[in-house]
Amino acid sequence: MTLTDTPTKNSAPGRGLEVQGLRFGYNGTTILSEVDLAIHEGEFISLLGPSGCGKTTLLRILAGLETPGAGAVSWKGKAITGPSLERGVVFQDYSLFPWMSLLQNITLAIAKAQPGISAKWRRQLAEDYLEMVGLAGAARKYPLELSGGMQQRGAIARTLAVGSPVLLMDEPFGALDPVNRARLQDLLLEVWSGTTARKTVVFVTHDVEEALYLSDRVIMLGSSPGRVIHELRVPFGRPRVRRDLVGSDEFTRLRADIDARFRRDVIERIEADSTVNSEGEGV
Amino acid sequence: MSSTFSPEASLNGASSIAGEAATAGAVKVQGHQRQGRVFSPLRFLVGKEGILFLLALVALWQVVSGLHFRGGYLFPSPLVTAQALQKSLPELLKGTVSSFLILIPGLLLAIALGIFWGLLVGTTPFLSRMFSPFARFASPVPPTIYVPYAIALLPTFQTAAGFVVFIGAFWPVFLNTVAGASSLQQRYRDSARILGLGRVEYLVRIVFPAALPHIFSGISVGLVFAFILLTVAELFGANAGLGRFIQLYADYAEYPRMVAGILYTGVVVLIVTEIVEQIKRRALFWVK
């Protein structure tokens, strides 16, 4: 455990996503080294870091789409060995199947998650989820007829329709304009806090503001190689009001603190490398 | 999952596919390209260039056929050709039926097998490693050279010609299907894995539709190949069909009928190609 800030006081939830001694390399390059994480059930965390810090790789490992080189990854104590409907994923590049209508995309997901239910009921459910994300009128549309924001709403609806207790999101709003991004952030929070059994969310982003606004805890990843450099508990209560929060001194202070830590990490990395080099030259 | 087929192996390598360009940004450019400035005195021609060119060709044909020179009988005038066409129409229609009875089974079988096998090879590394050396050797062989052997080997002319049509159409369909299947975008593969799709469902609902743009360009090429092979085979040994019609009247030196047969065949191929194009447009409506 590398919880550097105050440990959880309010809730004593069960074991959620656990990562121990994780290492991952590709073609001899270390992408992630010695990552330890403990994410509680129902917690909303962000993986925050610059490009190349392995945050997407970490998410893919949690999804079961990649196999770690070393270390253990588990959900509720059960080792993660492959993809599962327990862990829904929303990708940055809208991954709805473009040859199916929105409705068909979502009914397919429901059919896989709940094979028993009738086609009619499936359609009804799919329409409900589309309504939840504000796409009630677009059920018959095909993904490429829709804007990026609408496609991503559809992808969220698909993941929700599966009913996964874990939601893994890989920079889902990264390609959207600021207004749509804010709208979808609010939609996500609304959906997440609206349910009685809150989903465990792992949200990958490089946007400090987004991480602070959305999550309970921000896990900062540094690059070359990817590793956890700091964990920060977000002190804001919920529900959060964007206007009040983003302008507040506390928010500004946290944002500056995070930026400073990233800068410091970069400098430390560079200096560490040059030390190694100069020693190497001396030999 | 990647196949060892290189895109160059595709007979239709140049046809980069609209599906690839489907990402948001690249979509909206097309409509604006037509509005380039046109030199004003010729503006009334815009949009009619194609038909005007055809008319000019016919005019040129008329002029040439009116000249007196040695071998002039090889250029029957448009009018004479049109009359020959009218006279030969029943015979040509019968020939079309006979040709299509060979073409369609061979072509459909090639499309069905090309897609089926292409989807499997394109998604199965083992099959790709096994089959691609053979495909690399066999696919570039010009199928026309099989014609005499097929005629000698198979019991009837119909089966022999059908077989050659099949070979000619199979490779383009197969190679393009492999290219489409093996270039399936990672995000769709990931989504399919997360949803837990089974192997068959994955091939039918994900890989097949995703590869459809490639598959259709394979079919377009295969169709042209099929026509070429069919008519070549008919020149060799048919007793009916479009190729046979042309060979027959060439032998009798009835050039008006022969030219009429060539034009008629062109129109038939155009119609079939247009039908395939319509099917493609309907099947790929989701590609922007």
Side-chain angles (χ1 to χ4, degrees), chain B residues 146-160:
Chain B
Y146 296 125
V147 173
Y149 194 34
I151 290 176
L153 206 62
L154 290 164
T156 61
F157 174 77
Q158 275 74 14
T159 50

Side-chain angles (χ1 to χ4, degrees), chain A residues 264-277:
Chain A
R264 214 155 48 226
D265 183 61
V266 171
I267 291 167
E268 275 166 23
R269 295 315 301 169
I270 296 172
E271 284 173 352
D273 285 353
S274 59
T275 319
V276 171
N277 282 345

Side-chain angles (χ1 to χ4, degrees), chain B residues 156-188:
Chain B
T156 61
F157 174 77
Q158 275 74 14
T159 50
F163 171 75
V164 181
V165 165
F166 167 79
I167 299 280
F170 172 80
W171 288 116
V173 174
F174 168 78
L175 291 173
N176 278 282
T177 307
V178 170
S182 57
S183 65
L184 179 70
Q185 290 176 44
Q186 170 114 39
R187 50 182 160 160
Y188 302 138

Side-chain angles (χ1 to χ4, degrees), chain A residues 12-275:
Chain A
R15 301 167 77 183
L17 283 168
E18 289 174 308
V19 177
Q20 274 156 12
L22 176 76
R23 252 178 287 164
F24 185 87
Y26 185 76
N27 284 345
T29 316
T30 308
I31 293 177
L32 290 168
S33 85
E34 290 302 323
V35 174
D36 294 286
L37 283 178
I39 302 159
H40 309 129
E41 236 187 304
E43 194 178 17
F44 196 132
I45 72 131
S46 288
L47 298 177
L48 177 67
S51 54
C53 71
K55 53 194 192 298
T56 292
T57 307
L58 180 52
L59 193 90
R60 291 178 63 83
I61 291 171
L62 291 174
L65 291 167
E66 308 282 355
T67 315
V73 188
S74 62
W75 163 244
K76 286 187 166 181
K78 228 170 56 204
I80 292 172
T81 53
S84 151
L85 289 167
E86 276 189 327
R87 280 163 279 118
V89 184
V90 178
F91 298 99
Q92 170 170 12
D93 41 16
Y94 329 111
S95 51
L96 294 170
F97 302 121
W99 48 88
M100 299 180 194
S101 69
L102 270 181
L103 197 68
Q104 288 168 330
N105 264 290
I106 291 160
T107 46
L108 173 67
I110 296 173
K112 300 313 291 183
Q114 299 164 269
I117 68 176
S118 74
K120 200 180 155 199
W121 184 228
R122 235 180 278 163
R123 241 209 1 249
Q124 184 57 51
L125 268 178
E127 278 168 358
D128 291 349
Y129 281 107
L130 283 173
E131 200 182 327
M132 191 187 290
V133 299
L135 285 178
R140 312 270 158 200
K141 297 262 190 203
Y142 284 76
L144 298 182
E145 297 177 304
L146 304 171
S147 68
M150 288 170 91
Q151 288 187 51
Q152 206 56 305
R153 283 168 193 265
I156 291 172
R158 177 169 76 177
T159 309
L160 294 175
V162 171
S164 323
V166 181
L167 204 51
L168 306 173
M169 308 185 88
D170 184 10
E171 302 203 39
F173 312 142
L176 302 180
D177 62 86
V179 176
N180 262 308
R181 182 184 308 187
R183 280 200 189 120
L184 275 155
Q185 287 167 355
D186 291 338
L187 171 76
L188 176 63
L189 283 186
E190 197 182 301
V191 170
W192 176 73
S193 54
T195 45
T196 41
R198 280 191 179 172
K199 291 182 192 302
T200 308
V201 183
V202 180
F203 191 99
V204 165
T205 181
H206 61 256
D207 180 339
V208 179
E209 214 171 285
E210 184 171 59
L212 282 173
Y213 180 60
L214 292 175
S215 37
D216 297 326
R217 194 146 55 97
V218 177
I219 292 162
M220 293 167 56
L221 299 177
S223 52
S224 39
R227 77 229 111 82
V228 177
I229 56 177
H230 188 66
E231 297 191 14
L232 177 134
R233 178 154 299 280
V234 180
F236 310 121
R238 291 182 194 272
R240 294 176 181 171
V241 181
R242 184 183 297 275
R243 182 203 294 267
D244 300 345
L245 203 64
V246 176
S248 71
D249 293 344
E250 179 74 346
F251 193 89
T252 312
R253 192 187 63 72
L254 282 173
R255 203 167 52 184
D257 179 50
I258 289 173
D259 285 340
R261 282 178 192 277
F262 275 125
R263 274 199 300 274
R264 214 155 48 226
D265 183 61
V266 171
I267 291 167
E268 275 166 23
R269 295 315 301 169
I270 296 172
E271 284 173 352
D273 285 353
S274 59
T275 319

Side-chain angles (χ1 to χ4, degrees), chain B residues 115-156:
Chain B
I115 292 174
F116 173 76
W117 190 231
L119 290 177
L120 285 178
V121 171
T123 54
T124 319
F126 158 72
L127 287 179
S128 171
R129 287 193 300 272
M130 181 190 86
F131 195 69
S132 55
F134 169 70
R136 227 170 269 174
F137 160 73
S139 62
V141 175
T144 42
I145 65 164
Y146 296 125
V147 173
Y149 194 34
I151 290 176
L153 206 62
L154 290 164
T156 61

